[in-house]
Amino acid sequence: MADSQKSPGIRKRVRFALLGGGLRVLARSINKARGKDLWLDRALRQFEGVWRFESGNRKLYRHLILEGGKFRVSRECGRPADFTFTIYSSSATGLRARPDRVLEVLIANKIGQSGDLHYLYQFGFIMSLYRRTTLFKGKSIPIEGRGQPPRD
Amino acid sequence: MAETARTDSQESRQVDEIFALQLSDFPRALRLKQEMAGARQTVAHERSKLLTDYFEKNGFDLEHPLLRQADSLKYVLENTNPVIFPDELIVGSVTEHRHGAVMFPEFQAAVIWPEMLSLPFRKHNPVNVSKEAVEDFSFRIFPYFKDKNIHQWAKVHYGYPEGLKVMEKFVFYLIAHANGVSHLIPNYRVAPELGFNRIMEDARKRRDAITGTDKAAQLKREFYEAVIIVSEGVLAFAKNYSRKAGELADAEQDPERKQELAELSRMLAKVPAEPAETFREAMESMWITHAAVLQENSDLAVSFGRMDQFMLPYFLRDLEKGIIDFKKAMDIALCLYIKTNDHTPLVPSAGESLFSGSATNQSITLSGLTPDGKDGTNALSYLFLRALDLLRQREPNVDCRFHDHSPELWRQKCLEVIKSTGAAPALYNDEAVIPAMTAKGQSLADARDYGVIGCVETSVQGRTYPMTGSILLNLATTLELAIYDGVFPLSGRQIGPKTGWLKEFTNFDQLWRAFVAQLNHLVKGSVEAETLYERAHAELHPIPLLSAVLDGPMEKGKDATAGGAKYNSSGVWCVGLADVTDSLAAIKKLVFDEKRLTAAEMQAALEADFKGHETVHAMCLHRGPKYGNDEPEADELAVRIVQAVDQTYGLHRNFRKGVYHVGYWTMTMHTGYGRLISALPNGRKKGAALASGATPVSGAARKGPSAALSSTAKLPAACLANCIANNHKIPASILNEPGKLQVLEQLVKGFFRKRGMQIQFVIADQSLLIEAMNNPELAKDLLVRVSGYTAYFGDLNKDMQQEIINRTEDRI
């Protein structure tokens, strides 16, 4: 049905180019936000990984790469991705709104996934750290040094 | 009460005495209950921290997994800080918190990682977590177990087969093994009967008797060595509690509590090392063993079995000596029941739509036939039943067995308690369950000794490693694949073999063959995935402690994960039976038999979610045969589906060479999965909940409860070895009318006479449920029966709440 083997149409290409642009903005924002949160800084320094975002027919793709303490986006990557998101439908863009809720999107089968789940969860954790440095932080355990979490 | 050989009037007097007890007679239990209810669930850190400490220090020995697991568990048990809360009579905390969420990084605990920071603030079921715990899990524990968790191990070491890939799409089938070893009944009677000193002695003798030097002999030697090591861990765990109780006793000012703590200290210095002599010692021995077992195995339905049977000798002995009466025994039972609530699983927000409100579902089974075929109902059956009635908690899950000659009083009291709690206990028919188990190769004596696990699953207690929740199979997606040429409509992906489109079929047999072909495909994939997980368990996470308290591993010198148990089945639970039945029946009748519409028209209506196809929708809803009306058209299809699923799984054996037991219970998955399923030919629209368990679709059973139960009773027991959840809802106001409880009794009796297997109730008025949906205060203590477990209405997600409201009301 939706999974065509034909070359992607112009709309799909544009949408993917936008996704690539979005990922670049995201990468830059996270790299910049590390100064606001010790844990985010520590996560960027300690973790690494390659997340691939690809279209349903796998002809369009981008890689989000965390290495050397910072994120970058690249069309190609020298090594296999640790985790791959396959975007079947545009409704999967809900992912951008709540990246720490990737599991919901996966359960709804809006996007496909393959690879090591550790990197999916790690990505979700990094995004939750990033999110609490933004205006859209919602309710979260406070940033390191800015308060105490609730205790039992 | 056969075992006490008392007369009917004596029995009746005892039961009256037990049921005269009120919660107000037990101020300690009241306080403990309130404390537990007020304690917010908190992420447990201690176990994961100790485990990671151990492995970081000692390495992760891949050559000797049994010894590695045994040594690490011993370290955890030895170093766990004993926690005794005020007022407790039964001690041994599963986590460091009063109400904890046990974390298993070696399984799937990391699934919570993305939302750890917001856990305390999430709207539904918030969970506390300390900053220290988040930091340690995020930067040390989860990274450490990155390549040492079962899921990743299975993927990396045994390829990444299609079966696992399909599972990762969540909607077709799920395998519980990734979450740990669970869903079984250990032989907990060995703790009070033998004690761990005897278990160790036995293991030493067996180890020393091994003469060979080959690999098999070496493995056996390692197994027994591992049992010795973990037994030492259990003893250290109990000794630490004994020491702690002693310290608290020394500091205690209140003389009564001082004496209780001193007694606890004495008791825990004795059990579970040595055999228990009293009822209280036996209960403590069982619980502390359970708490230790849960440091090795994730608690998803690790159940207690027939407690009224194996605790009876201790109770009768105490009674004879005059050191116990019903009130004292009840005090201990209530403390144990409350203690079972000290841990619940941690469910991510996304999982709340699938498993919301679920506790750990530790089941207790009461009454039923004994292994030699006699009635097992005794004083403790009534006492444990009354304990449920007094506390009205979701945990433990209490299940009551019946047979053709069960005492009338037992039946009456069970129904009175159901009316009182509104949800529990669930009722099981030995006359159907036992034949289902013997049909799968279990001996008659063993089958008679079955207990209930988790939601509703039945298994021989203490002798089986059954993983009854092992494979969740979605029958509704199976039908979708049959209708859409193997393509899953939600994602548009080709998942199954190309078996044609509904619009291309010219007769029902073609559709049926497509359905069976898709079923075969998904069954094969699920078995493939399960086999890999089981292999990963055996290689990465053997369980010497649980193996020591199961029949079989000690005799064979083989860990339970490697097939050491006497019985080695795997459980399958299916979602969507009634919807698939009604859908196939609708297509058969409307398209192929009566030709009221073409297959193409039906296909078009389904693809459009019936929009613009209102006539077809009305036809599907009102003219299609429906399971639940005691009519052969639909009921025979239900039987055919059940047989097909059982036969298909019957073609396979699990990793441990055991057979698959298929059942029909759904927890809350029928609403969660319902959200992902497109329109179905029974008139169900896209996203609507599927029917629960083996129950007819809500609103489809138009001829009343007797007809609905007759339909369900037709399902062949031999194909239901993993049992069913048969959910019925009765308005409380109706049941309060004079004589209605007796009507209900006759209804249940009639169902069981027809060899119906299981029945469970929600007793609540529609108006109360609707009010509770908008009133969290009202909802938080309102017990309901989901499709299996008992839950608080307020803990359920809105879809599940609505599904319970929508359930057909039996207006008896």
Side-chain angles (χ1 to χ4, degrees), chain A residues 15 31 81 139 144:
Chain A
R15 204 181 296 140
N31 292 340
K139 284 186 175 172
E144 178 82 343

Side-chain angles (χ1 to χ4, degrees), chain A residues 1-3 5 38-40 42-44 46-47 56-58 83 86 88 98-104 106-110 112-125 128-129 131-132 139-152, chain B residues 40 42 96-98 108 110-118 120-122 128-132 134-135 138-140 142-143 145-147 149 151-152 155 160 165 168-172 348-351 353-354 484 487-494 501 607 676:
Chain A
M1 287 161 84
D3 186 28
Q5 288 306 308
L38 286 176
W39 279 8
L40 179 57
R42 184 173 170 190
L44 296 190
Q46 183 176 328
F47 303 150
N57 62 8
R58 294 174 184 167
F83 197 84
T86 307
Y88 300 126
R98 289 299 308 273
D100 54 326
R101 292 286 171 88
V102 285
L103 201 58
E104 279 178 22
L106 292 175
I107 287 176
N109 273 250
K110 289 175 183 168
Q113 51 121 334
S114 61
D116 186 344
L117 286 173
H118 173 83
Y119 288 90
L120 170 70
Y121 305 141
Q122 181 182 279
F123 179 66
F125 175 64
S128 70
L129 288 170
R131 196 164 170 261
R132 67 178 185 168
K139 284 186 175 172
S140 164
I141 286 179
I143 286 174
E144 178 82 343
R146 290 191 188 175
Q148 290 303 311
R151 305 294 292 269
D152 65 326
Chain B
R40 189 192 265 194
T42 303
E96 67 269 35
H97 304 289
R98 190 183 276 274
Q108 290 273 53
V111 72
I112 207 72
W113 197 6
E115 55 183 286
M116 261 191 142
L117 292 169
S118 55
F121 309 102
R122 67 181 186 180
N128 282 355
V129 58
S130 71
K131 206 165 182 174
E132 293 74 21
V134 178
E135 185 173 16
S138 298
F139 295 107
R140 189 175 73 109
F142 291 149
F145 283 95
K146 173 168 113 46
D147 53 358
N149 66 80
H151 183 67
Q152 190 57 21
K155 273 162 82 166
Y160 191 0
K165 286 180 185 160
E168 287 181 342
K169 297 181 192 307
F170 300 100
V171 70
F172 303 99
S349 292
S353 65
L354 304 178
Y484 293 92
V487 171
F488 180 47
L490 184 69
S491 66
R493 308 290 296 166
Q494 186 78 41
W501 297 78
E607 287 178 14
L676 308 175

Side-chain angles (χ1 to χ4, degrees), chain B residues 77 233-243 265 268-269 271-273 288:
Chain B
L77 290 169
V234 174
L235 298 188
F237 186 61
K239 286 276 186 315
N240 287 343
Y241 269 94
S242 171
R243 178 183 45 77
S265 180
L268 284 156
V271 296
I288 201 127

Side-chain angles (χ1 to χ4, degrees), chain B residues 252-281:
Chain B
E252 180 63 52
Q253 299 300 313
D254 176 46
E256 198 179 328
R257 182 62 181 158
K258 194 181 188 71
Q259 198 276 327
E260 280 174 4
L261 287 164
E263 171 61 9
L264 266 174
S265 180
R266 181 205 65 77
M267 220 164 53
L268 284 156
K270 176 181 171 187
V271 296
E274 291 295 320
E277 289 173 88
T278 65
F279 179 68
R280 189 174 165 200
E281 283 179 359

